[in-house]
Amino acid sequence: KGHHGVVGATGNGPGGGGLRCGGGYGGKGGGNNGGGIYGSAAAPEERGSAGGGNGTVPGKSGGGAVRLDVSGGMITVNGSITANGEDSAANYAGGGSGGGIYITCRTIAGTNGAITALGGDGETSPDAGGGGGRIALVYDPAEQSNMAPHTISIRTYPRKQAGDDTAGCLGTLWLSDAQF
């Protein structure tokens, strides 16, 4: 889990959101005082930040940090690897930012897999959503080019429900080359 929310006006973490605003990490949190961007896009080893509370209800937690080091081998993603921020659930508090996912391997493969670091939804105005997290996939480009086609979804966007007007910003995605 990422940085936890608090009842006070500012969420925990380096990108904690202000009063009712979303936490930031790879992307800025939503709202007038959304949490800021921090950390490394190429080596995202930090947790996501919490959204701001409303004085009585805590902001929601940011996504955690996932580190997989399979430098000499192949990683196969047929399920999900997630570091998503928590949604505000219409409690007038900010959503948490997405967290960090940092994978090093020789090659990566998978069928219908998903790697996500999504920002938490702000639900309804005036509470704002968290910014997207950070994902880095570091692989051997020459070895990866010899792999069969794969279907892995990689996402770092902020979640936003219908009627929201204060979503956070997109997170970051860092890859060894452009073949994905």
Side-chain angles (χ1 to χ4, degrees):
K1 226 177 205 203
H3 293 281
H4 296 285
V6 294
V7 173
T10 302
N12 281 330
L19 180 68
R20 296 182 175 171
C21 293
Y25 178 30
K28 184 181 180 307
N32 293 341
N33 197 15
I37 297 169
Y38 62 96
S40 167
E45 297 182 297
E46 298 182 75
R47 300 177 293 156
S49 292
N54 72 359
T56 58
V57 176
K60 293 304 183 173
S61 298
V66 177
R67 175 68 169 113
L68 299 173
D69 186 353
V70 190
S71 298
M74 177 173 67
I75 191 166
T76 302
V77 182
N78 291 329
S80 298
I81 300 172
T82 63
N84 299 332
E86 289 183 327
D87 295 339
S88 93
N91 64 10
Y92 299 103
S97 75
I101 299 176
Y102 183 18
I103 299 173
T104 53
C105 57
R106 186 173 46 83
T107 57
I108 186 167
T111 303
N112 298 323
I115 302 172
T116 63
L118 307 176
D121 184 23
E123 292 294 330
T124 57
S125 186
D127 48 331
R134 295 186 184 275
I135 298 174
L137 302 179
V138 181
Y139 50 84
D140 181 314
E143 292 288 326
Q144 188 67 38
S145 68
N146 294 324
M147 297 290 293
H150 43 270
T151 55
I152 301 172
S153 171
I154 305 167
R155 299 172 296 181
T156 62
Y157 59 79
R159 289 184 294 230
K160 182 176 178 180
Q161 299 289 336
D164 281 355
D165 57 351
T166 52
C169 296
L170 290 173
T172 63
L173 176 59
W174 192 94
L175 305 168
S176 293
D177 65 5
Q179 51 186 306
F180 270 87

